[in-house]
Amino acid sequence: MDCFKRAWIMAKCNMIRWKKEVRIYMIIAIEAVLMVRYFAASTVYGVQNGLKITPCVLPILFMTDLKSITKILIYLGMILLFCNAPFLEEDTPYFIIRSKRKSWWMGECMYIWGASFCYLVLIMILPLIVLLPVLSVDQLWGSLLVDFMNNGSKIDLISLPENIIKIIYPYVAQGLTFLAAWLSFVFLGHLIYMINLVFDKKLPGIIAAVFLVMLDSVVQWLGFGSAREWMYWYSPVNWTTMDIWDISGGRGIIPIWYVFVMPCIFTLILTVIIAVVSRKKQINILSMQ
């Protein structure tokens, strides 16, 4: 129990440092600008035509659209959040001496879980601020999305596949997308941490994560409507897109259990590697600065 308590203190200390991190304010500013650019035109259109939209817009943000890089930029913001992994500070050696290595690496992993959750909450709240004039909880998906669906050839703003709008309730889609995205962020965070820890450099983990993020659009371009749909099974970032989930009326490429189970398995494997490497790893603060 003391080990978990010390690990929690380590995780909390990492989050307290956010107040002095310029990088965190950059992330907030970048994502805020992104949401304004993505949703502002829809808000204006909705106000002009008296249309409303549900506040459950996470499924829209995590749709892989070759005409929009919104999803990619959200993931790149997450990479920027964890780009300093394994989060070594000047006081890290003293913490390890007092609390042991197990508490150290466990605290870092807890931080990845917590930071991913906070970042996703930010991504969930920012669009609501932009869409505030047209938000409504009295309808299902809202007349704004239905209008876009019926006039897709004339209006090229935000969109969601028709099968999702007709079959899945907004709050269900929001919850499932939140969980899938959270697990995806946690997996990539652990991947960055593990690779950087092994190589004593910050760049290798970032490169690996960026590769997986960019693979999302490549797979969408190559795999859609072709015999190469098997590629979706090996592209973790694609798994947060509801359109490829095997749900009633969907494209049925990936079973829904796969979307949630596989990131957990990968994260567990990465956590074990982190634990093994951290046990005997020589901590070199200067090499990670």
Side-chain angles (χ1 to χ4, degrees):
M1 185 62 68
D2 288 341
C3 181
F4 284 99
K5 185 177 180 180
R6 291 191 293 265
W8 168 248
I9 293 174
M10 181 67 180
K12 187 168 65 173
C13 288
N14 283 338
M15 301 192 77
I16 290 175
R17 291 191 182 101
W18 283 4
K19 294 185 293 185
K20 299 180 180 180
E21 284 276 0
V22 176
R23 176 172 45 87
I24 301 300
Y25 297 103
M26 287 178 55
I27 293 173
I28 296 174
I30 292 171
E31 299 304 326
V33 171
L34 172 65
M35 297 308 164
V36 170
R37 288 182 57 86
Y38 189 62
F39 287 106
S42 300
T43 302
V44 173
Y45 181 86
V47 171
Q48 291 174 345
N49 294 275
L51 303 175
K52 299 293 183 179
I53 189 173
T54 176
C56 302
V57 295
L58 273 185
I60 299 174
L61 289 173
F62 283 90
M63 293 300 299
T64 301
D65 187 352
L66 296 180
K67 296 178 293 184
S68 171
I69 60 172
T70 303
K71 181 180 178 182
I72 291 177
L73 292 178
I74 290 174
Y75 269 92
L76 292 181
M78 180 276 303
I79 293 174
L80 182 59
L81 178 63
F82 296 128
C83 67
N84 62 330
F87 321 118
L88 297 177
E89 302 291 338
E90 292 181 356
D91 58 350
T92 299
Y94 303 102
F95 180 89
I96 295 175
I97 293 173
R98 296 188 61 181
S99 303
K100 308 304 179 184
R101 288 176 178 260
K102 184 177 181 180
S103 297
W104 166 55
W105 68 259
M106 286 180 60
E108 303 284 38
C109 291
M110 285 183 183
Y111 168 71
I112 293 174
W113 281 90
S116 298
F117 183 88
C118 293
Y119 178 68
L120 193 52
V121 169
L122 173 70
I123 297 302
M124 186 173 61
I125 292 175
L126 288 177
L128 304 186
I129 299 174
V130 182
L131 292 167
L132 189 59
V134 293
L135 286 182
S136 174
V137 294
D138 297 330
Q139 306 177 64
L140 292 177
W141 285 101
S143 53
L144 183 61
L145 272 177
V146 174
D147 186 81
F148 289 164
M149 181 180 68
N150 294 331
N151 299 280
S153 59
K154 303 176 183 178
I155 306 171
D156 189 18
L157 298 176
I158 60 176
S159 63
L160 198 63
E162 182 177 349
N163 64 288
I164 295 178
I165 294 177
K166 290 184 176 180
I167 296 174
I168 305 178
Y169 285 104
Y171 57 85
V172 175
Q174 179 89 345
L176 291 175
T177 302
F178 187 97
L179 181 58
W182 186 24
L183 294 176
S184 179
F185 289 170
V186 169
F187 159 64
L188 290 177
H190 279 78
L191 180 68
I192 296 172
Y193 185 98
M194 185 275 293
I195 294 177
N196 287 352
L197 183 66
V198 170
F199 288 95
D200 276 333
K201 301 289 183 181
K202 290 184 178 180
L203 193 57
I206 296 174
I207 293 175
V210 169
F211 170 79
L212 290 179
V213 171
M214 295 304 166
L215 186 63
D216 174 85
S217 295
V218 174
V219 170
Q220 179 71 8
W221 179 57
L222 294 176
F224 178 68
S226 71
R228 294 188 290 271
E229 289 186 347
W230 58 268
M231 298 172 66
Y232 285 99
W233 291 75
Y234 303 97
S235 178
V237 177
N238 282 98
W239 301 343
T240 56
T241 301
M242 290 193 70
D243 192 29
I244 68 170
W245 295 0
D246 187 11
I247 52 180
S248 179
R251 286 160 58 187
I253 300 174
I254 301 294
I256 193 168
W257 65 264
Y258 189 90
V259 173
F260 301 104
V261 172
M262 293 309 295
C264 292
I265 293 176
F266 290 153
T267 301
L268 178 61
I269 293 173
L270 291 171
T271 303
V272 172
I273 296 174
I274 290 171
V276 173
V277 174
S278 298
R279 188 176 303 173
K280 296 183 179 181
K281 184 71 174 180
Q282 183 178 356
I283 307 302
N284 189 347
I285 302 296
L286 295 178
S287 68
M288 298 296 295
Q289 296 298 319

